């Protein structure tokens, strides 16, 4: 035994929609940009610096330090999962030193996997599959199970080849989730990356409840260089969606990203509002694909899994974005979410920069989780070399 038991057509609103172009956004940004303290103002150029001082600095600093190498996404992913890896590495390594495959071995394997937040159901499935493979292949020693366990974990999280087809269609993306998980920043990063790939992108600020949510999304639209459809705070979210869909159709937009208010699954009025948005989209834009992505905070572990489970019981979810995986000891939750909900994890976030949100690659994720294995990465990078020209994120616009 293991250590645990198994707006409608013609609909109008009081508020006139604000269709903000890039030029208007730039003017607004200039008027509202916060003034940094003197010590916070970044040094953009050193051309006017004293020449002698420059020579001294060049003599004191080694040449290598002046051109730091930017880490690739996989290296940052591996670094971000360090806490998770450390929390299970000793137990995992000692596990395969066992002399025989007995009940104690399977008990310890269960405990090790659950400690990494892979979840009870996922852990139980992995252990049971392992027992079957051990019997079929007549494996006698624990050491021979090491690679087998890794592959069984990898099998729990494979993403179908069609998971990202929506990116190449006329698509409306509804981004949902509770407050504080990073919905708005994820939308901003996706918008910048899609545009960098040549897509025509439009944003819609349908989170009209949370203070400053609209301003935050406008800032991201300005950074990404895309237009945004917005009304005033307190406006009808469905009216914003109605206007955004009409704009997307008239502008031949490739991807419309809709920011929605943070909501809990048990708030019936908010869930009904979400359903109303979907009805408006399908009725007014039937030729468009509708993609519903839920954003989850990776640091919350099993709570994130429960959020996804509850949301999936009341609304359709096509994919998952897991944020804040850098520095968490609960990195195994990505495996549990995909395995137990049968909903693909499509993007993962490991930092605050534009390119710190990437497509999810199961092989690279498992390699990062068990870093003593193959370190090669097949992660697809969405951004091109010009993405560095986009201003970097900062705490002012990050949702914690």
């Amino acid at each position: 035994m293991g250590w645990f038991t198994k707006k409608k057509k013609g609909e109008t609103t009081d508020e006139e929609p604000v269709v903000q172009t890039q030029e208007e956004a730039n003017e607004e940004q200039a008027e509202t940009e916060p003034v940094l303290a003197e010590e916070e103002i970044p040094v953009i150029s050193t051309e006017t610096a004293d020449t002698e001082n420059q020579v001294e600095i060049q003599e004191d600093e080694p040449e290598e330090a002046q051109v730091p190498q930017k880490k690739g996404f996989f290296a940052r992913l591996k670094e971000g999962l360090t806490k998770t890896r450390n929390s299970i590495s000793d137990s995992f390594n000692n596990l395969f030193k066992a002399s025989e495959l007995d009940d104690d071995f399977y008990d310890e394997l269960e405990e090790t996997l659950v400690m990494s937040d892979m979840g009870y159901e996922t852990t139980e499935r992995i252990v049971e599959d392992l027992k079957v493979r051990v019997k079929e292949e007549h494996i006698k020693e624990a050491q021979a199970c090491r690679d087998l366990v890794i592959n069984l974990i990898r099998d729990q999280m494979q993403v179908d080849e069609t998971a990202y087809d929506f990116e190449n269609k006329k698509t409306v993306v509804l981004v949902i989730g509770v407050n504080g998980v990073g919905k708005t920043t994820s939308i901003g990063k996706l918008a910048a990356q899609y545009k960098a790939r040549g897509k025509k992108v439009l944003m819609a600020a349908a989170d009209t409840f949370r203070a400053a949510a609209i301003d935050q999304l406008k800032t991201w639209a300005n950074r990404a260089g895309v237009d945004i459809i917005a009304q005033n705070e307190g406006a009808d979210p469905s009216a914003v969606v109605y206007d955004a869909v009409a704009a997307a159709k008239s502008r031949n937009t490739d991807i419309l990203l809709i920011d929605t208010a943070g909501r809990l699954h048990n708030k019936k009025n908010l869930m009904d509002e979400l359903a109303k948005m979907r009805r408006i989209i399908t009725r007014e834009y039937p030729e468009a694909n509708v993609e519903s992505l839920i954003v989850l905070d990776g640091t919350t572990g099993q709570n994130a899994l429960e959020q996804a489970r509850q949301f999936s019981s009341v609304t359709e979810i096509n994919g998952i974005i897991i944020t804040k995986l850098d520095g968490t000891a609960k990195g195994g939750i990505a495996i549990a979410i995909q395995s137990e909900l049968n909903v693909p994890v499509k993007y993962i976030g490991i930092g605050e920069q534009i390119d710190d949100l990437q497509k999810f690659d199961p092989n690279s994720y498992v390699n990062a989780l068990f870093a003593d294995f193959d370190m090669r990465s097949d992660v697809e990078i969405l951004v091109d070399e010009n993405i560095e020209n986009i201003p970097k994120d900062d705490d002012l616009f990050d949702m914690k």
Side-chain angles (χ1 to χ4, degrees):
M1 293 293 293
W3 69 282
F4 61 87
T5 305
K6 300 207 139 185
K7 168 166 85 95
K8 298 179 181 179
K9 200 163 187 177
E11 186 174 3
T12 61
T13 61
D14 294 331
E15 296 291 344
E16 286 296 324
V18 179
V19 181
Q20 187 177 49
T21 64
Q22 183 57 40
E23 183 179 355
E24 293 170 337
N26 289 335
E27 293 176 356
E28 182 174 333
Q29 177 72 8
E31 294 173 358
T32 61
E33 189 72 16
V35 179
L36 299 177
E38 182 176 352
E39 62 271 18
E40 296 176 321
I41 300 177
V43 178
I44 305 302
S45 174
T46 57
E47 292 180 359
T48 59
D50 183 78
T51 304
E52 294 181 3
N53 290 339
Q54 288 184 347
V55 172
E56 291 179 6
I57 293 176
Q58 293 173 356
E59 290 177 350
D60 293 340
E61 295 290 337
E63 183 177 350
E64 297 87 341
Q66 297 179 29
V67 188
Q69 288 287 339
K70 181 179 178 180
K71 294 181 180 179
F73 184 78
F74 177 73
R76 284 175 283 151
L77 174 62
K78 175 184 172 184
E79 185 177 288
L81 291 174
T82 297
K83 288 185 179 180
T84 302
R85 190 165 53 250
N86 289 344
S87 71
I88 65 174
S89 59
D90 289 340
S91 298
F92 197 81
N93 290 328
N94 291 331
L95 179 64
F96 297 101
K97 295 178 182 178
S99 57
E100 57 183 327
L101 297 171
D102 53 14
D103 289 342
D104 289 340
F105 169 81
Y106 291 113
D107 288 349
E108 187 175 349
L109 175 59
E110 288 176 347
E111 182 176 2
T112 300
L113 297 181
V114 171
M115 283 176 59
S116 69
D117 261 287
M118 287 190 194
Y120 296 106
E121 293 180 20
T122 305
T123 295
E124 188 174 55
R125 190 179 299 118
I126 292 171
V127 173
E128 291 303 315
D129 288 348
L130 177 62
K131 290 179 179 179
V132 171
R133 294 286 296 274
V134 166
K135 184 176 181 179
E136 290 177 347
E137 300 177 23
H138 306 287
I139 299 174
K140 303 297 183 183
E141 297 181 356
Q143 182 63 37
C145 294
R146 188 181 182 92
D147 290 349
L148 186 54
V149 171
I150 298 298
N151 289 329
L152 287 172
I153 293 173
R154 201 190 315 269
D155 291 343
Q156 303 297 312
M157 51 196 308
Q158 292 304 314
V159 179
D160 191 87
E161 293 180 357
T162 63
Y164 301 98
D165 285 355
F166 74 94
E167 293 183 342
N168 300 312
K169 301 176 181 178
K170 296 293 183 184
T171 299
V172 177
V173 180
L174 273 169
V175 182
I176 65 176
V178 303
N179 282 324
V181 294
K183 295 189 303 297
T184 306
T185 51
S186 294
I187 289 173
K189 293 172 185 179
L190 286 175
Q193 294 179 18
Y194 289 149
K195 183 176 181 182
R197 294 166 58 195
K199 302 292 183 181
K200 191 171 183 179
V201 185
L202 181 65
M203 287 185 185
D207 181 358
T208 60
F209 296 115
R210 184 173 62 86
I214 299 173
D215 291 336
Q216 184 183 16
L217 195 65
K218 284 180 179 180
T219 300
W220 271 108
N222 181 53
R223 289 181 171 187
V226 304
D227 287 347
I228 181 172
I229 305 299
Q231 293 187 11
N232 294 330
E233 183 179 337
D236 182 0
S238 294
V240 178
V241 172
Y242 182 92
D243 293 333
V245 167
K249 291 172 64 177
S250 65
R251 303 179 190 189
N252 196 30
T253 297
D254 294 315
I255 299 178
L256 168 60
L257 295 162
I258 301 179
D259 186 20
T260 66
R263 65 197 72 224
L264 297 173
H265 67 281
N266 59 355
K267 297 298 182 181
K268 187 177 185 303
N269 60 327
L270 291 177
M271 296 309 298
D272 288 347
E273 183 67 51
L274 189 61
K276 182 179 178 182
M277 292 180 192
R278 290 188 68 101
R279 289 197 302 270
I280 291 174
I281 295 168
T282 55
R283 185 189 68 215
E284 302 297 329
Y285 202 5
E287 63 270 33
N289 177 66
V290 182
E291 187 82 2
S292 183
L293 301 178
I294 183 171
V295 182
L296 303 172
D297 183 341
T299 64
T300 61
Q302 292 296 308
N303 286 335
L305 174 59
E306 186 61 24
Q307 287 174 22
R309 181 182 287 115
Q310 297 293 342
F311 267 89
S312 65
S313 68
V314 295
T315 189
E316 181 180 359
I317 297 177
N318 305 109
I320 296 168
I321 301 174
I322 303 181
T323 62
K324 308 177 188 179
L325 279 172
D326 51 319
T328 179
K330 302 178 179 181
I333 194 60
I335 302 169
I337 289 172
Q338 184 151 314
S339 174
E340 297 186 19
L341 297 179
N342 199 28
V343 178
V345 175
K346 296 191 177 183
Y347 303 94
I348 58 174
I350 57 169
E352 311 302 332
Q353 309 307 319
I354 287 287
D355 57 346
D356 283 340
L357 183 74
Q358 295 288 337
K359 286 183 178 178
F360 179 65
D361 181 82
N363 294 322
S364 299
Y365 194 84
V366 173
N367 288 343
L369 200 58
F370 301 95
D372 54 341
F373 286 80
D374 185 10
M375 289 296 98
R376 293 171 298 176
S377 173
D378 295 321
V379 172
E380 178 180 349
I381 303 301
L382 295 179
V383 296
D384 60 18
E385 295 176 355
N386 294 324
I387 201 68
E388 291 303 320
N389 295 326
I390 299 178
K392 295 184 177 181
D393 194 10
D394 52 43
D395 292 338
L396 179 60
F397 305 110
D398 182 45
M399 293 182 65
K400 294 294 185 182

